[in-house]
Amino acid sequence: QVCAQLCRRPCYCPWVPPRCPRGSPLVLDGCGCCKICARRLGEPCDFLHICDQSQGLVCDYSSAPAGTGGTCNFEDDEEGCEVNGRVYRDGEVFQPSCKIQCHCLDGGFNCIPLCQEDVRLPTPDCPYPRRVEIPGKCCPEWICEAQDQHLLRDARAVSPLLRHPCQEWGTEWSACSATCGLGFATRVSNQNRYCRLETQRRLCMVRPCPAAFPAVSEGRV
């Protein structure tokens, strides 16, 4: 009865099929006449505008008032995830890109990086590390940039104030080793003549130590 009311024969369809958003395939409408974009998870639907059955979606009228359309949902009411226009089932593991892997769970998804997020500090054999994209590889890699030592020596000769010709790096100074009186603080830095990582120390004093009370001699009666 619904088909007889909404579907007309013969079919009258546009010459040019619609352009669908990413993840929404072209399908025949509910009358089986014209091609339309399948509705995705959470989108409105009705008899004519059907849901993407390839993703296991059906038009859910359970929460819609009588006589109105429904919402695309999974047939077995199983929660899923939609990422970049594509629907993933609950429990499914997928990779939106080669750099991350995701897990659909309870309507949401958790992702972990597949590329190492390590940090490479300057070293004597590699004072200028740099992370670059390598053609044909997904994850970036660390490389050591070459530095012309002759130019560095010339720079030192021309400008004596250029004490650190390499990229400076260092940690914050630590807390003073003593709560009162003289102590020392430490840090790791490459700000030295050879641009090498080393532990540096400096004197510090938070506050003077209180004076000791003089001993009281016991007297005899």
Side-chain angles (χ1 to χ4, degrees), residues 7 25 31 39 42 74 76-77 79 101 106 122 130 140 143 152 156 160 165 172 180 196 204-205 213:
C7 303
C31 295
R39 298 298 172 90
F74 289 107
D76 53 358
D77 294 332
E79 292 185 348
Q101 178 175 287
D106 297 333
R130 188 165 64 94
I143 64 170
L152 289 179
R156 294 193 190 101
E172 297 292 336
C180 70
R196 296 176 181 174
C204 58
M205 185 174 70
F213 291 102

Side-chain angles (χ1 to χ4, degrees), residues 17-30 34-41 43 48-57 72 82 84-87:
R19 296 184 62 180
C20 301
R22 186 177 180 181
S24 179
L26 272 174
V27 296
L28 290 176
D29 60 17
C34 304
K35 288 188 176 182
I36 61 172
C37 298
R39 298 298 172 90
R40 297 175 294 181
L41 181 66
E43 292 183 343
L48 287 176
H49 303 90
I50 63 176
C51 303
D52 186 2
Q53 298 179 359
S54 65
Q55 297 289 334
L57 301 177
C72 289
E82 182 179 4
N84 295 331
R86 182 174 176 181
V87 178

Side-chain angles (χ1 to χ4, degrees), residues 115-179:
C115 298
Q116 294 184 357
E117 298 295 332
D118 58 333
V119 176
R120 183 166 182 174
L121 301 179
T123 57
D125 59 334
C126 184
Y128 300 96
R130 188 165 64 94
R131 206 171 191 182
V132 297
E133 298 287 343
I134 306 297
K137 294 187 178 181
C138 176
C139 299
E141 296 183 2
W142 287 98
I143 64 170
C144 294
E145 289 189 336
Q147 190 76 10
D148 193 340
Q149 299 299 326
H150 295 285
L151 292 179
L152 289 179
R153 284 195 293 268
D154 293 343
R156 294 193 190 101
V158 173
S159 177
L161 298 178
L162 186 60
R163 300 172 56 190
H164 309 296
C166 64
Q167 182 178 1
E168 296 184 0
W169 182 90
T171 62
E172 297 292 336
W173 286 102
S174 67
C176 195
S177 60
T179 56

